[in-house]
Amino acid sequence: MAVYTDVSFEELETFLASYDVGKPRSFKGIAEGVENSNYFLQTDKDAYFLTLYEKRVREEDLPFFLGLMDHLAAKGIPCPVPVHDRKDRLRTTLNGRPAALLTFVQGVSLKKPEPAHCAAVGRALAAMHEAGKDFEIRRENALNIEGWRELEDSTRDGADTVESGLAHLISSTLAQLSREWPDGLPSGVVHTDLFPDNVLFMDGKVSALIDFYFACNDSFAYDLAVMLNSWCFETDGSYNVTKSRALIAAYEQKRQLTAGEISALPTLARGAALRFLLTRLFDWLNPSPSALVRPKDPREYSRKLRFHMKVRSAAEYGL
């Protein structure tokens, strides 16, 4: 989350006239992340997030994203809920940007999750996968192998200025994944971005899953592979198999992995590492002058990718 589009208090009051959420008492921008403009709003009734959709978020995808949160919340998955305006719309427009008001969710994100936290979020991911099975809107994964090829093309010339040999690592990995990427795995609605900063905890329990703006339809095991990358490496770059064992075991308490998913997990983990390497590299080479935060270092994911390239079976992840 970040702030790219400014909203004055007068513009906010005009926007809120379409909602039954009370009068604004406090309003401030949230300077985190790289995708949307986000504000915290406190009214005399409740607390909310105001999001203006920017950059990679396409307006035609908003019915999926906002409808999904509505659907998951109704199924008992803790997440922000889009607020309907007086015309029953989930989104409107503010300062030329698509905009939505969402309920504020309590909790804190963890910088250093422990194995117990990994287990809790593994159960939450499986519950989300189950809850999304009857969500009727579909959205293809725009950051699939075809999307990775486009990012590789657009970052090739600058890759080696970030890290020596990075362009070759990306191109050779992409070629291998293009040959080996698994088809026909169990699939449905997936988050694809469930990093520690997108999970909130209270009293050791998951209080909310947030930031669904990369959600789509893809394989469930790919979603799990994203989490192996984002939850199971330590700050020194080492892989913590205790964390991944806890995460996977807790996931399987709610949804058992198939033999095909287990076999494909090393390939899926490489793909997930490549995906975040490429998007971070693109942002690093093309920083937005209006962003309040520095893009994340892509080299974290080149190191993770090199680790996964050496993995030969899912047993090395604790299965």
Side-chain angles (χ1 to χ4, degrees):
M1 294 181 281
V3 173
Y4 299 90
T5 301
D6 290 327
V7 177
S8 70
F9 196 74
E10 293 76 15
E11 291 164 339
L12 174 67
E13 287 186 307
T14 300
F15 174 79
L16 292 181
S18 299
Y19 292 85
D20 184 21
V21 295
K23 296 180 180 180
R25 292 289 182 258
S26 176
F27 184 63
K28 59 182 180 180
I30 301 170
E32 298 176 9
V34 294
E35 294 301 327
N36 303 314
S37 292
N38 285 271
Y39 293 86
F40 174 75
L41 169 68
Q42 179 70 57
T43 74
D44 57 3
K45 288 188 175 182
D46 213 333
Y48 303 91
F49 281 116
L50 170 62
T51 298
L52 283 71
Y53 297 98
E54 322 247 9
K55 210 173 180 183
R56 295 192 185 103
V57 178
R58 303 182 305 171
E59 186 169 4
E60 55 266 36
D61 287 331
L62 289 177
F64 178 90
F65 298 141
L66 299 175
L68 176 61
M69 285 185 275
D70 238 3
H71 177 88
L72 293 177
K75 294 276 188 172
I77 303 300
C79 65
V81 184
V83 179
H84 295 244
D85 73 1
R86 290 193 172 98
K87 296 181 180 179
D88 202 34
R89 297 174 299 184
L90 291 179
R91 71 189 191 280
T92 56
T93 301
L94 177 58
N95 288 358
R97 299 286 191 271
L101 199 62
L102 298 101
T103 57
F104 175 77
V105 286
Q106 297 280 354
V108 296
S109 58
L110 304 175
K111 296 293 185 183
K112 295 181 179 180
E114 299 295 330
H117 300 120
C118 295
V121 79
R123 285 189 292 270
L125 181 71
M128 192 207 85
H129 288 167
E130 291 295 321
K133 284 184 174 179
D134 59 347
F135 183 58
E136 294 182 352
I137 307 176
R138 289 187 55 85
R139 177 180 181 266
E140 296 306 311
N141 189 353
L143 288 170
N144 56 14
I145 287 184
E146 289 303 316
W148 302 343
R149 290 193 182 103
E150 294 176 8
L151 286 167
E152 194 261 344
D153 287 342
S154 63
T155 58
R156 185 183 301 115
D157 291 344
D160 284 353
T161 67
V162 176
E163 179 184 306
S164 178
L166 188 57
H168 175 71
L169 173 67
I170 291 170
S171 63
S172 60
T173 302
L174 185 54
Q176 181 185 41
L177 292 175
S178 297
R179 296 190 301 269
E180 299 177 359
W181 197 251
D183 292 322
L185 297 178
S187 63
V189 173
V190 290
H191 190 287
T192 77
D193 196 33
L194 204 58
F195 277 56
D197 57 358
N198 286 332
V199 180
L200 303 183
F201 284 85
M202 288 184 67
D203 300 324
K205 298 179 180 179
V206 173
S207 61
L209 310 180
I210 64 173
D211 204 349
F212 284 82
Y213 301 113
F214 288 104
C216 58
N217 292 85
D218 208 326
S219 70
F220 296 132
Y222 175 71
D223 221 9
L224 189 61
V226 168
M227 294 190 65
L228 296 183
N229 277 281
S230 56
W231 288 78
C232 301
F233 283 89
E234 301 298 341
T235 54
D236 64 0
S238 63
Y239 188 78
N240 189 323
V241 71
T242 302
K243 289 183 177 181
S244 64
R245 183 181 294 115
L247 195 160
I248 295 169
Y251 181 91
E252 288 202 288
Q253 289 173 5
K254 288 188 173 289
R255 181 187 167 270
Q256 195 76 24
L257 295 172
T258 67
E261 289 176 301
I262 293 171
S263 176
L265 201 53
T267 300
L268 297 170
R270 292 168 201 155
L274 180 64
R275 172 260 193 262
F276 289 103
L277 169 57
L278 284 167
T279 51
R280 287 189 177 192
L281 179 60
F282 181 88
D283 289 341
W284 189 271
L285 295 173
N286 302 276
S288 170
S290 60
L292 300 181
V293 292
R294 182 177 176 82
K296 295 178 180 178
D297 191 341
R299 291 171 294 185
E300 175 187 347
Y301 272 84
S302 65
R303 293 190 292 270
K304 292 179 179 181
L305 176 56
R306 289 187 173 95
F307 169 84
H308 292 302
M309 295 298 288
K310 297 176 182 178
V311 171
R312 291 294 169 261
S313 79
E316 296 178 56
Y317 298 127
L319 270 164

